[in-house]
Amino acid sequence: MILVSACLCGVNCKYNGGNNLKKPLKKLLEQGKVMMVCPEQLGGLETPRKPCEISFGSGKEVLQGKSKVITKENIDCTEKFIKGAEETLNIAKSINPEYIILKSKSPSCGVSKIYDGTFTGTLKNGSGVTAELLLKNGFKVITEEEAERLIK
């Protein structure tokens, strides 16, 4: 079993109400090889919702209580991002996936690169809150780009 960000399988759970469909991942879903998750929805955020970014550091600092996940209007969504990460971790522990494919650059799901908190599209090193928690717990977490190379 593989755990995958639901938006990558075509579920309209992205912040703007859309999705990030990757056809090879949807095909794996149709074959019964995938379980989908949306950490942001699991944390209680609505769809659509205001875009969020990590204000300082990365998911690591958020989990340490040193940073926050905020909207451009400075609304604090940290608690919901942490709750979504914890719920995703519980699911991962229950199915023990071979690996986890998460949406790149996201403040929840980004692996190794996320937006820098300025809402200008600028990237910085670091992982999102969910990705960081999963990595910290020993799960293999990759982006959709890495997954597409593996699947081919």
Side-chain angles (χ1 to χ4, degrees), residues 15-84:
Y15 77 93
N16 64 4
N19 65 66
N20 296 299
L21 176 64
K22 297 293 180 188
K23 290 181 182 178
L25 297 178
K26 185 164 185 174
K27 186 175 180 181
L28 289 177
L29 173 69
E30 291 164 353
Q31 295 169 356
K33 297 177 181 177
V34 162
M35 176 178 274
M36 299 182 296
V37 292
C38 177
E40 293 175 19
Q41 285 186 337
L42 287 170
L45 291 166
E46 299 174 341
T47 302
R49 56 191 166 274
K50 298 281 185 189
C52 292
E53 293 187 9
I54 296 173
S55 62
F56 166 79
S58 66
K60 180 178 180 180
E61 286 75 23
V62 172
L63 292 169
Q64 293 172 342
K66 296 177 180 177
S67 186
K68 295 182 178 191
V69 184
I70 59 167
T71 66
K72 194 172 186 178
E73 298 78 21
N74 208 33
I75 297 168
D76 187 349
C77 297
T78 305
E79 201 173 289
K80 291 182 179 183
F81 274 76
I82 291 172
K83 181 178 190 282

Side-chain angles (χ1 to χ4, degrees), residues 93-141:
K93 285 179 175 178
S94 73
I95 68 165
N96 195 26
E98 180 181 349
Y99 51 92
I100 301 170
I101 304 168
L102 297 178
K103 175 65 186 108
S104 62
K105 304 172 192 164
S106 157
S108 287
C109 298
V111 181
S112 59
K113 292 279 186 193
I114 56 173
Y115 292 109
D116 72 353
T118 62
F119 296 90
T120 60
T122 305
L123 294 173
K124 64 181 174 183
N125 292 328
S127 295
V129 180
T130 298
E132 184 66 35
L133 187 60
L134 292 167
L135 289 164
K136 182 179 165 185
N137 279 272
F139 289 96
K140 182 178 181 183
V141 183

